[in-house]
Amino acid sequence: MKNKLIYICLVLVLMLSACDDTLEQQFSDNVEVSDAIVDLNSLNLAANGSYSLFADNDVYNRTIMLVPEILSDNAFIDAFDNTGRYLDFDSYTVNSNNRFITPAWEEIARIIASTSIIIRKGELLSFPESEQEDAAQYIGEMYALRALAFHNLQLLFAQPYNFSSDASHLGVPIPDFETLGDGGTIQEPGRSTTAQVYEQIENDLLKAIDLMRSESDPFRMDVHAAKALLARVYLHMENWTGARDTATDVIETSGNSLLANDEYIASWGQDSNNETLFTLVNNETDNSGTNSIGYFYLTYKDAFATDDFVNTLSATDVRKELYPIDDGVNLVEKFPRVAVQDDNIQILRLSEMYLIKAEAHAQLTEDTAAQETLDMIIQRADPSALESTETGQALIDKIILERRKELAFEGFRLYDLSRYGITFNKFQQDGDPIVISAPENRTIMPIPIDEINVNPNIANQQNPGY
């Protein structure tokens, strides 16, 4: 049964006023949240409210999952019959007043603000001994969600970690957590370095892991999901030892297991499955309805998988069934519950951990371990596939290709291309491909013009080319 989050007026408080949609506003207007957290129950309710913010169609219910696919070689917008959405991503003509990037910036800032205030308020409260474990768990979840929000903001608006040799290039703003929501301080943070942002993310996840209990819950951030996110972060930081060891830990201790080949397709219509480490719940109250990513792909049919992507899947690869041909184009069926519009969004899956582990092994020249780990994913999808024998760069290339196949349309592809600096074709339905030499200026999004106009500390920190 779908996990039901508790919804009360506190959720509305967390969503804040919409009259001033700037980072400054999101980082300053949460005093009501702070005042509302007085005991364990209200702490839990506030935590639930933060989960609901991720369910916005400007966050995981569409934009965060869609944009990295449209900007990559995986997807294109229907050029002849569309609803007019995300067209400038398809043509690589996004500007700083974009109607999807601006709310994504604002909503992620809301999440950072709300989780930060919940953490601070929760840590100030005294709990009876019988409630301390639960309190620590809820606070740990907020650290993990804040890390997830920061990482998504960083991926959208900053170049990859390895863009500069010491990650000193501009990342996203880090507010002063101690004064967030105090009602008297206006926050106008400038951009931190990418190194500082990733240090913040890593510290939040290590704190979350330390606070959380060992029990698993795929519908909320638990200790295994926090470790899985940390493995992802280490991958982006090119901390190969950390990525290998953390992904291995999740594989060996989470209690999750890879789905069988004959379970794979049906799993995408389920609330969770054996591979689910963390899924974003969409019930009747918080789903995005006709604005959901599933509706975008399967009802409006605004975007399709490219032939270039689908042709990477062999005829015997079970994953090919997710991309059936319809009137000459390839549908995307990873979000199939359009009738009720309540697809859960799989944010962390065990298969990603195998791919992280394989890539880390390969980067550490542990080729045999990389091959064996990679083949767990390849041969699950296609039992007729031969064992991997590649080594060195050929092995790394094969892993990146397998990430493309396994994690397609889950918001990964552009970032894999960018962190490896891979030149690719951005395919369009009605024109020649656009050649993108990633990473380049256009693979990251502009800081919204609203933020540039009101925040003096970020005014001169716009991304190049915008």
Side-chain angles (χ1 to χ4, degrees), residues 327-351:
D327 196 22
V329 291
N330 308 298
L331 299 181
V332 176
E333 293 189 344
K334 270 196 172 179
F335 312 95
R337 290 164 57 156
V338 292
V340 288
Q341 304 161 10
D342 68 342
D343 288 286
N344 281 1
I345 305 298
Q346 300 285 334
I347 296 178
L348 291 160
R349 297 195 292 123
L350 192 68
S351 56

Side-chain angles (χ1 to χ4, degrees), residues 67 78 124 154 219 236 238 267 281 309-310 338 426 463:
V67 164
D78 188 330
L124 289 174
Q154 178 74 17
F219 305 113
H236 282 267
E238 298 186 343
S267 72
V281 171
F309 163 68
V310 174
V338 292
K426 161 55 202 162
N463 285 322

